[in-house]
Amino acid sequence: MRVAYYSPLPPARSGVADYSAMLLPELRKRLDVEVARPGARRWGRRAEDSCDIAVYHVGNDPEHHWWVVEALRRRPGLVVLHDFVLHHLIAGMTVGRRDPNGYLDAMQREAGAVGRMLAHGVIDGVLPPVWERRAHEFPLTGEVLSSATGVIVHSAYVERRVREHGYAGPVWRIPLAAWPMPAELPSAGLPTDRLIVGSFGHLNPAKRVPQLLEGFALLRERVPAALLVLVGSVAPGVELELPDDAIHLDYVGEDRLWSLLAASDICVSLRFPTMGETSGVAVRAMTAGRPQVVSDIGWFSELPDEVALKVPIGGDEEVEVLATHLERLAGDAGLRTAMGSAARTLVEQDHDVGRVADAYAAVLEEAAGGEAVQDAVRTAVASAAAEVGLPPEGEALGEIAARLREVGRDG
C-alpha cells in the first residue's frame, strides 16, 4: 500500500516535525510512504493520485500546518490530530492572510451568530483576539474534521472531544510514540548538589508559570537546596520575573534537552487551558525515568498516579498541592526512583515507536480499505443512476446519497 504523508519536518521548529522525523523510518519498514513537502515541484496531483491513502498530521501552528490543511481540503483523508483546539491555525490561515471573511465564516460554523459577531469585533479591533485567551472556547476543529475520512488521536480526552464536536467518522486512538533517549549525553551544566526541578516547553500563559513560581517559593522555604530550571522560548506578552533560585534557558536542541531532562530530579508540566495536546516533553521525561507533577487536565489526567502526581486547576489549592507534591518528592528519593521506573515501563508498554508504527500501519490498511469500498459504492450508484436516467442533481439521487451517509458510505 502506498501512503501520501503530509507533515512538517525538520528543520522546522515544530514538535510535530520532530515526531514525524522519528516515526517515518519505522513506517517505511511497513509501508510505501511518499512524503509531501510544501512547494516541492515534484509533488503534484499525479503523485497524490498514485497513493492509496493520504494521511495528514495537523497541529495548531499556522506557520507549519497551513499547507497540510490546504492539501487535506483538496483530497480528504486520514487526519492525525495533534491538538484538538485549532483556533490559532484557522485564524492564521484566514485573518493572517487578509481573509477576514474566511474567519467570520469559520466562527459562524463554530458558534452561530454569536461566533460571527465575536469575530467581527476582533476584526474591527474593538475586541481582543479570541486566540489570545479564549481559543479553547472556540476550537474551530470542525474546519479540519469536515475533510477527514477518519481521525487518529493520542488520548481518550481528544477522542471524546472529537465526538462531542459532532464528528461521526471512524476514530482510532494511538499513543504518542516515545523518542529514544540518546546513549551519550552532553553535560547539562547544572549544579550536582542541588535538587533540580525542571519545567520544559514554550512558555505561554497556558503553562501556569506564576503558579509554578508560587509553588516553588513554598518548596524553597522547606528545601533550600531546590533549583528551578525553566527551559523554552518565551511567548510574546509573557514576562518572566524569576527569583534568585530559578534560571531560564531559551530554546535548546534535542541533545541539550535530553541532558537537562536527565539532570532534573523532578519534572513539572502545568497546563490550563489545554489545547488537547499530548505533551512530547512529558513523554520524553517518562523515557528519561523522571517523576512528574502535572495538571489534572486532558491527556495529563490519563497518566497513572504511579507515574505522575496530579495538581488541581485554579485557586489557592493549586499552589498548595503543587508545593506539597514537590516537597514529598524532594524528601523521598525512593519514591522518585519508583515513579521513574514506572514511567519507563509505561513507555515500553504503550509508547514504543515500533508498536506505534504497527498501529499506524493497521489503521492505514483499514482506512484505505474503507475508502476503496466507498469509491466502489459511489461508482456503482453513479452507474446505476445513469442507466435508469436519474439526473445528477435530482431528488431521487439525493435521497440515495442521504441513505448512504446513514450507513457510513457517504455519497
Side-chain angles (χ1 to χ4, degrees), residues 93-343:
M93 293 181 65
T94 52
V95 178
R97 292 184 174 184
R98 299 180 181 178
D99 177 20
N101 289 331
Y103 185 64
L104 292 172
D105 292 343
M107 285 291 283
Q108 182 169 345
R109 285 189 288 268
E110 177 74 30
V114 171
R116 191 175 188 90
M117 288 189 293
L118 180 58
H120 263 299
V122 171
I123 291 168
D124 294 341
V126 297
L127 291 175
V130 176
W131 52 86
E132 287 186 352
R133 298 286 181 175
R134 301 181 63 189
H136 61 292
E137 298 178 33
F138 305 92
L140 301 183
T141 318
E143 301 301 300
V144 167
L145 294 180
S146 61
S147 299
T149 59
V151 179
I152 292 175
V153 300
H154 300 309
S155 68
Y157 171 79
V158 173
E159 181 178 5
R160 184 173 66 253
R161 293 296 308 277
V162 165
R163 290 305 189 198
E164 290 171 353
H165 220 65
Y167 183 72
V171 178
W172 296 270
R173 192 192 322 162
I174 300 177
L176 193 76
W179 285 258
M181 187 171 181
E184 296 184 6
L185 296 173
S187 171
L190 298 176
T192 57
D193 59 345
R194 305 287 295 272
L195 179 94
I196 307 298
V197 177
S199 184
F200 301 82
H202 184 57
L203 298 173
N204 57 37
K207 297 299 177 65
R208 316 289 286 173
V209 174
Q211 289 80 4
L212 174 58
L213 293 177
E214 286 185 53
F216 180 76
L218 292 176
L219 172 68
R220 281 279 295 121
E221 294 175 2
R222 307 158 191 171
V223 185
L227 175 67
L228 177 64
V229 180
L230 300 174
V231 182
S233 55
V234 180
V238 174
E239 296 184 5
L240 286 182
E241 296 183 6
L242 300 180
D244 293 338
D245 292 295
I247 61 174
H248 171 243
L249 303 174
D250 206 337
Y251 179 89
V252 298
E254 191 75 5
D255 285 350
R256 177 83 166 128
L257 173 62
W258 279 109
S259 68
L260 292 166
L261 281 167
S264 298
D265 297 289
I266 307 165
C267 290
V268 180
S269 292
L270 301 184
R271 202 67 49 91
F272 184 82
T274 176
M275 300 295 116
E277 70 279 16
T278 294
S279 172
V281 167
V283 172
R284 285 180 177 87
M286 289 193 291
T287 301
R290 301 298 90 188
Q292 299 193 65
V293 179
V294 302
S295 292
D296 193 4
I297 190 173
W299 169 79
F300 296 97
S301 295
E302 299 171 25
L303 292 172
D305 294 340
E306 295 79 14
V307 167
L309 303 180
K310 313 298 194 316
V311 176
I313 300 294
D316 294 336
E317 185 183 13
E318 179 176 10
V319 172
E320 292 170 1
V321 172
L322 170 61
T324 298
H325 286 335
L326 290 175
E327 183 182 10
R328 179 186 175 196
L329 287 168
D332 192 338
L335 177 60
R336 297 199 302 271
T337 300
M339 290 181 67
S341 177

Side-chain angles (χ1 to χ4, degrees), residues 76-77 145-150 167-170 367 369-382 397-411:
L145 294 180
S146 61
S147 299
T149 59
Y167 183 72
E371 286 190 8
V373 170
Q374 288 186 0
D375 287 343
V377 169
R378 283 192 287 264
T379 299
V381 169
L397 201 55
E399 181 69 17
I400 293 172
R403 294 291 175 264
L404 288 172
R405 282 191 291 271
E406 288 178 6
V407 297
R409 307 291 187 207
D410 57 323

